[in-house]
Amino acid sequence: GCFTPLEEYVRNMKRIARELLKITPKVIFATITPVAEGKDDQDNAKIAEYNARIVPELQAMGIQINDLHAIVASDPDAYICEDRIHLTNAGKAVCAVAVEKAIEQALGEGPKAENPLKVLAIGNSFSQDGTRWLHQIAEADGWEITKK
């Protein structure tokens, strides 16, 4: 389930957002993705509540929202694995494209060297292998990837 109480989650996410805004002017937040119905220890109503509570808070801070929840919810049978929680390869791919578009929107036009990109992935399975997808997309677009 949602392992952090709602108010603590909001407080933590806002604190992370403030810290990120100290090092970069453009921050993107991806909403929590849904689970497939019938996942006993997960609750889509609770996930929706967490997203509904944090999104306006972060928008008020000037943070761009990437609504991965809506994308995955549009076709959960295609985008959520049989384990009812993790993304399928199709789900990872569609989310990676959405992340790419959000990054492109945030960066706008201009030389890449003058507009460096910093990526911090926190949380779920997408953060574990999603950065691999992002690296492939970025390298194909001519970005130089450095890991710290």
Side-chain angles (χ1 to χ4, degrees):
C2 296
F3 302 111
T4 305
L6 179 58
E7 291 308 315
E8 182 180 346
Y9 170 76
V10 171
R11 191 171 48 254
N12 289 343
M13 294 306 296
K14 288 174 65 176
R15 186 182 69 214
I16 292 167
R18 282 191 302 274
E19 292 302 314
L20 291 172
L21 288 168
K22 289 178 184 177
I23 60 172
T24 184
K26 296 179 182 180
V27 175
I28 304 166
F29 172 79
T31 55
I32 304 167
T33 55
V35 296
E37 292 303 322
K39 182 69 177 153
D40 295 335
D41 61 340
Q42 300 289 330
D43 181 357
N44 280 325
K46 181 78 80 177
I47 290 169
E49 178 184 10
Y50 276 50
N51 283 333
R53 180 72 170 78
I54 193 60
V55 166
E57 298 275 351
L58 295 178
Q59 286 174 322
M61 297 172 73
I63 292 175
Q64 177 183 335
I65 305 300
N66 188 4
D67 193 359
L68 297 183
H69 183 279
I71 292 168
V72 175
S74 72
D75 194 351
D77 292 336
Y79 298 146
I80 301 175
C81 287
E82 290 178 11
D83 71 2
R84 311 187 77 69
I85 190 167
H86 295 101
L87 298 177
T88 62
N89 285 338
K92 292 172 190 176
V94 73
C95 285
V97 169
V99 170
E100 176 189 26
K101 288 179 183 178
I103 291 169
E104 286 175 348
Q105 179 184 355
L107 293 178
E109 297 298 321
K112 292 178 176 95
E114 295 173 16
N115 212 358
L117 175 64
K118 298 172 184 171
V119 176
L120 171 65
I122 300 174
N124 61 26
S125 303
F126 183 76
S127 65
Q128 291 173 2
D129 59 1
T131 51
R132 176 178 50 85
W133 287 85
L134 292 177
H135 284 185
Q136 291 171 356
I137 291 167
E139 288 171 346
D141 197 34
W143 287 86
E144 180 182 332
I145 304 298
T146 58
K147 295 180 183 179
K148 292 188 178 190

